[in-house]
Amino acid sequence: MEIDPFIFRFSIFILSIFIGYYVVWSVTPSLHTPLMSVTNAISSVIIVGAIVASLSGNNENLFNLSNILGLIAIILAAINIFGGFLVTQRMLQMYKKKKKDK
Amino acid sequence: MSANLSAIFYLISGVLFILALKGLSSPKTSRQGNVFGIIGMIIAIVVTILSVGNFSTGLIYVLMFLLLGGAIGAFIAFKIPMTAMPELVAGFHSLVGLAAVFVAISAFLKPEVFNLGMPGNIKIVSLIEMSIGASIGAITFSGSVIAFLKLQGIMSGSPITFKGQHFINALIGISIIVLIYYLCVTQLPNLFWLIILLSFLIGLLLIIPIGGADMPVVISMLNSYSGWAAAGIGFTLENTALIITGALVGSSGAILSYIMCKGMNRSFFNVILGGWGGADKTLDTKNSEQRPVKSGNAEDAAFLMKNASSIIIVPGYGMAVAQAQHSLKEMVDTLKNNGIKVAYAIHPVAGRMPGHMNVLLAEANVPYDEVFELEEINNDFANCDVVFVIGANDVTNPIAKTDPQSPIYGMPVLDVEKSKSVLFAKRSLSPGYAGIDNELFYRDNTLMLFADAKKMTEDIIKNL
């Protein structure tokens, strides 16, 4: 019997939870704020769904509701991606400066 | 681009995201980790555009909106003051949540685009996945908006409670599950809208009763939710990068919530089901109003510090509010020039989000090897001459160790009372967020410095 592809994805999901569990416990507490901002940025990979949604139409009906929602989601996710990574970089930069000072 | 090839690229970007989190295990590798994260994101976006393969005018709009959002994001990232990080993170969570909702709606309206069936005849599994994704996304959105408003001070930080709250929440929660079941049976769009609407509502209701000081837990929890929402959408879109990322973020937020709860010795449900500082708050504060305290000024504080050989600094939310981190660093530099040993002690729940104090101290150029976590430094208080508590309160309260009746009993606290003398920079004698009096204020070796944290620190520098 064929295994449903859903089961494969579900396996990836469960294993990723375990990876996340062990990786996050190894994060040093002083970097918990950058951890939050970077997880924020990477969870915006949801933008891939938004891109598919906004490119779904052909040229004649470019602006049906589905496409418009996709485009709005692109803006929201892009704010997060750029904002999240850049603010993380800015924070981590401060941890670096200190090291040089010493 | 073939589906298999793009799936491999999505896997690569998932792995890069894992490495991004792994990098944060030490400040040295953290920046490299962030770069991995950025590369992973670029791969995911480029692969998606190539695999859709629709290079029509639509693509121009996609790129335009991408850059528009990017410009807004970059602007915020550079302008935001470090003290506003909790608000920023809450705001960002709300955007992820809303994006998840929009993507789910879009998939519901045009399932054929995502290979999920036809409108009115969507595959049951996909329908469940997108309902869960949309629902958690909506909860993340409205919950984060409330958290943002509370952190910004636009909305009162005190818990807002009303009768039957938990009952209503439970009722809405059950309704959402029942509606998802009927949606699968009937495929009626109206049920889908209702699910989303109720999810927005429950997000509001869940966060409204939680007090401002429980925000570290709330923000971590919403962080976790935004991950689960992304994973739900990932299942709908059959996208590995999204599933891996969702699982990573979801477990990351869950662990942070756990750490924060442990830092307050409360169960997760205890935090969610309504905050401290509720009805019994007034009782505790009344019976100890008139006790004498020793209060001093900057001159006294400077005198004590100058004659000390080791000092430990305990920062709290008050330091963030007063933006006192830079003057604090200046004060410490002056002390160090006089040959005094100085260290910083940080309680897990100091501030309004995990690691809040560490970032502020980092901003003020405090070397991270001078900053210690509770377990690392707690034994050193006994050998220290002066503790300077700046804007912290409950996390130093010895009552947590002695009085089983106290709401904070069992919470791990910094043993500041063991040092020879304690300086409290605080605006007033008012109790902290737990609504209980701090025993330390009335001790003989405690000196209260009633002033704004920043102003007090500056005055101490003048007197050193």
Side-chain angles (χ1 to χ4, degrees):
Chain A
M1 205 180 96
E2 285 273 318
I3 298 172
D4 193 306
F6 172 80
I7 302 299
F8 280 117
R9 286 191 285 275
F10 193 67
S11 315
I12 293 173
F13 178 64
I14 297 296
L15 291 176
S16 302
I17 291 178
F18 277 92
I19 293 173
Y21 180 84
Y22 289 108
V23 169
V24 171
W25 272 117
S26 75
V27 171
T28 160
S30 65
L31 291 176
H32 275 162
T33 299
L35 172 69
M36 300 202 87
S37 60
V38 86
T39 49
N40 212 331
I42 65 173
S43 60
S44 305
V45 74
I46 202 157
I47 197 168
V48 301
I51 292 174
V52 176
S54 43
L55 286 178
S56 62
N58 46 35
N59 287 333
E60 289 93 71
N61 60 350
L62 195 57
F63 291 110
N64 59 49
L65 182 59
S66 174
N67 293 8
I68 292 171
L69 288 176
L71 287 172
I72 298 173
I74 286 181
I75 295 196
L76 298 176
I79 294 177
N80 246 323
I81 293 171
F82 282 72
F85 280 125
L86 288 173
V87 89
T88 309
Q89 197 68 23
R90 206 180 126 199
M91 275 191 267
L92 296 176
Q93 213 63 32
M94 301 184 316
Y95 285 83
K96 178 185 176 183
K97 253 191 297 181
K98 286 180 304 181
K99 204 65 195 171
K100 271 189 193 156
D101 282 359
K102 281 223 84 186
Chain B
M1 194 180 266
S2 83
N4 285 333
L5 189 58
S6 45
I8 291 196
F9 276 111
Y10 285 136
L11 181 63
I12 293 173
S13 74
V15 171
L16 286 167
F17 290 152
I18 296 173
L19 293 176
L21 298 193
K22 182 79 188 79
L24 289 173
S25 54
S26 134
K28 283 178 214 120
T29 54
S30 58
R31 266 157 290 124
Q32 191 195 17
N34 200 37
V35 173
F36 283 140
I38 295 172
I39 297 173
M41 186 61 72
I42 294 172
I43 292 178
I45 293 175
V46 171
V47 166
T48 308
I49 292 176
L50 291 180
S51 65
V52 175
N54 176 356
F55 301 106
S56 60
T57 29
L59 186 61
I60 297 170
Y61 284 102
V62 166
L63 295 177
M64 239 169 57
F65 279 66
L66 187 70
L67 289 178
L68 176 65
I72 299 172
F75 179 78
I76 297 173
F78 286 117
K79 285 285 168 207
I80 192 92
M82 281 298 142
T83 39
M85 278 314 295
E87 292 94 304
L88 180 75
V89 169
F92 278 171
H93 285 155
S94 73
L95 299 183
V96 182
L98 197 59
V101 174
F102 285 166
V103 173
I105 294 178
S106 184
F108 183 78
L109 291 175
K110 281 194 146 193
E112 70 276 13
V113 175
F114 299 90
N115 296 321
L116 308 173
M118 295 307 282
N121 186 22
I122 302 173
K123 281 187 277 182
I124 301 291
V125 181
S126 309
L127 213 47
I128 298 174
E129 289 161 354
M130 71 174 77
S131 310
I132 293 176
S135 173
I136 303 177
I139 295 173
T140 312
F141 171 71
S142 55
S144 300
V145 168
I146 298 293
F148 177 83
L149 294 177
K150 285 196 173 200
L151 286 165
Q152 273 285 22
I154 298 171
M155 193 172 171
S156 156
S158 55
I160 299 164
T161 47
F162 55 87
K163 264 211 162 76
Q165 200 162 20
H166 304 322
F167 177 73
I168 293 175
N169 288 350
L171 200 69
I172 298 176
I174 294 166
S175 317
I176 291 175
I177 295 167
V178 173
L179 284 170
I180 292 178
Y181 172 77
Y182 278 107
L183 176 69
C184 293
V185 177
T186 63
Q187 303 255 358
L188 283 174
N190 282 343
L191 293 180
F192 188 67
W193 308 133
L194 195 57
I195 291 169
I196 294 177
L197 201 71
L198 284 178
S199 303
F200 279 129
L201 188 65
I202 199 167
L204 295 178
L205 291 173
L206 273 177
I207 307 303
I208 277 182
I210 302 179
D214 285 335
M215 280 303 152
V217 181
V218 171
I219 295 190
S220 317
M221 185 184 83
L222 291 167
N223 185 247
S224 180
Y225 283 4
S226 69
W228 304 129
I233 302 295
F235 275 106
T236 318
L237 307 183
E238 310 184 341
N239 183 309
T240 347
L242 209 41
I243 295 176
I244 296 177
T245 316
L248 288 178
V249 178
S251 52
S252 161
I255 291 173
L256 289 176
S257 319
Y258 170 78
I259 296 174
M260 292 303 111
C261 286
K262 221 178 102 210
M264 297 192 290
N265 189 39
R266 301 174 69 193
S267 76
F268 185 68
F269 286 102
N270 184 301
V271 175
I272 298 309
L273 293 179
W276 275 338
D280 43 4
K281 177 176 177 173
T282 38
L283 274 174
D284 282 301
T285 42
K286 259 180 196 154
N287 45 27
S288 48
E289 257 166 18
Q290 301 298 330
R291 292 166 65 185
V293 295
K294 280 207 296 192
S295 79
N297 55 27
E299 227 173 294
D300 307 327
F303 178 78
L304 275 169
M305 285 182 185
K306 260 192 287 191
N307 291 308
S309 65
S310 74
I311 298 179
I312 297 178
I313 293 173
V314 179
Y317 183 57
M319 181 188 82
V321 174
Q323 308 239 20
Q325 65 271 30
H326 297 283
S327 14
L328 185 67
K329 161 82 160 107
E330 204 187 324
M331 185 188 96
V332 170
D333 284 345
T334 322
L335 290 169
K336 279 201 281 194
N337 288 341
N338 291 333
I340 301 165
K341 239 179 72 196
V342 187
Y344 298 82
I346 299 193
H347 192 275
V349 294
R352 286 290 188 262
M353 74 185 293
H356 193 184
M357 292 299 122
N358 302 79
V359 166
L360 294 182
L361 292 178
E363 187 195 13
N365 280 327
V366 174
Y368 57 78
D369 45 13
E370 288 177 14
V371 182
F372 298 94
E373 305 298 318
L374 179 118
E375 309 88 57
E376 296 172 319
I377 201 166
N378 230 3
N379 293 327
D380 298 348
F381 283 108
N383 308 317
C384 131
D385 299 313
V386 175
V387 172
F388 183 53
V389 183
I390 173 166
N393 182 0
D394 291 328
V395 297
T396 64
N397 198 338
I399 206 169
K401 289 178 284 190
T402 54
D403 181 7
Q405 302 300 313
S406 161
I408 62 168
Y409 181 69
M411 172 170 127
V413 286
L414 294 160
D415 297 332
V416 299
E417 79 278 6
K418 289 189 180 151
S419 82
K420 296 202 183 77
S421 51
V422 182
L423 299 170
F424 258 100
K426 211 173 167 304
R427 268 175 299 192
S428 71
L429 263 187
S430 64
Y433 66 83
I436 49 166
D437 222 17
N438 194 338
E439 184 57 36
L440 270 182
F441 297 167
Y442 312 104
R443 297 220 171 162
D444 279 343
N445 61 346
T446 303
L447 191 66
M448 301 298 296
L449 309 166
F450 292 116
D452 173 76
K454 187 175 179 188
K455 191 162 178 309
M456 180 49 73
T457 327
E458 282 165 354
D459 288 348
I460 293 175
I461 297 169
K462 278 183 211 143
N463 283 290
L464 276 172

